[in-house]
Amino acid sequence: LTRYYNTKTLNTITSAQIQSLTSNTYYWAFGDRYWKLSAKFYGDPKYWWIIAWYNKKPSEAMLNIGDKVLIPFPLDRILSMF
């Protein structure tokens, strides 16, 4: 079963809001996908787009093995910004 997730239309977020977040560092590995990282760090694959947005890399094709990926937290604050 293949599952697809829609891309969200995002509101403009201020740099002050972004700076209020914390992040964990993750290094992109073979077989990684945004939805897998979202499931691992947020407990739900549907928030994959937050990781893509925060790293300014809307497509996984823009990442190479070993690239640093920042996982922003806390999720509830990020969602309230949108």
Side-chain angles (χ1 to χ4, degrees):
L1 174 67
T2 301
R3 184 178 271 184
Y4 296 96
Y5 296 97
N6 294 329
T7 301
K8 301 282 184 186
T9 301
L10 305 178
N11 295 328
T12 302
I13 299 199
T14 67
S15 59
Q17 287 175 303
I18 292 171
Q19 290 174 359
S20 73
L21 302 173
T22 58
S23 63
N24 286 351
T25 300
Y26 178 85
Y27 292 94
W28 196 255
F30 181 80
D32 278 342
R33 298 288 179 263
Y34 281 140
W35 68 266
K36 289 181 182 179
L37 296 182
S38 177
K40 177 179 179 174
F41 289 99
Y42 300 141
D44 193 327
K46 73 181 178 185
Y47 298 116
W48 67 269
W49 57 273
I50 292 172
I51 299 168
W53 163 79
Y54 192 77
N55 287 277
K56 298 179 182 169
K57 297 194 185 233
S59 168
E60 295 154 342
M62 300 177 82
L63 292 163
N64 297 303
I65 292 173
D67 283 355
K68 182 165 85 169
V69 177
L70 299 175
I71 312 296
F73 288 98
L75 180 60
D76 58 339
R77 188 181 315 151
I78 297 165
L79 293 173
S80 72
M81 292 177 189
F82 292 103

